[in-house]
Amino acid sequence: MKDLTFETLLAVFEEIFGFGLFWAMVVAAALGTIAFVYVLIRDRNLVSRRLVRAELLAPVGALAAIWFVQEMTSSGFRDIGGPVDVIVLIVIGAAGAVGLTIFAYVAQALIGGPQRG
């Protein structure tokens, strides 16, 4: 593998997660992004109370993302081989934290209705 292309990354992710699960995660991420943009447009700003409550779930999202990837790749922490692996693990945790924070914010906004000024 001499070149790292988009097609190569796509094939690797489909191999790791399986075709169906990978594309389901892509669709879920797209729908979550659309819902977040909808809430931002509807409320015209971020509501700090919702955001702070949503941020409390960030550590849970980070741990869940790391656990999920460890399970899907059939590897463990004993398989971490160097600094790049640690960096990838940190990025996975950060992505999980951000993802669950956005999900929690959107869920609060959709359940609670628009913020009254």
Side-chain angles (χ1 to χ4, degrees):
M1 185 168 83
K2 292 182 179 181
D3 297 325
L4 184 61
T5 63
F6 179 73
E7 291 82 14
T8 303
L9 283 176
L10 197 62
V12 168
F13 286 129
E14 284 181 356
E15 181 68 26
I16 290 172
F17 297 113
F19 181 81
L21 179 59
F22 172 72
W23 287 108
M25 290 188 310
V26 169
V27 168
L31 291 174
T33 302
I34 290 168
F36 184 66
V37 169
Y38 165 75
V39 167
L40 286 179
I41 291 171
R42 183 190 71 181
D43 293 346
R44 292 192 172 98
N45 62 1
L46 284 173
V47 179
S48 61
R49 177 171 284 167
R50 286 184 194 148
L51 184 59
V52 169
R53 282 193 302 238
E55 287 174 344
L56 292 174
L57 291 175
V60 175
L63 293 173
I66 292 169
W67 172 81
F68 177 74
V69 171
Q70 292 287 325
E71 287 297 315
M72 294 308 295
T73 58
S74 299
S75 64
F77 293 107
R78 68 186 179 287
D79 300 319
I80 294 175
V84 171
D85 293 335
V86 173
I87 292 169
V88 168
L89 199 63
I90 291 169
V91 169
I92 291 168
V98 169
L100 189 58
T101 300
I102 290 173
F103 175 78
Y105 183 87
V106 169
Q108 289 178 75
L110 293 177
I111 292 170
Q115 180 69 24
R116 303 284 185 243

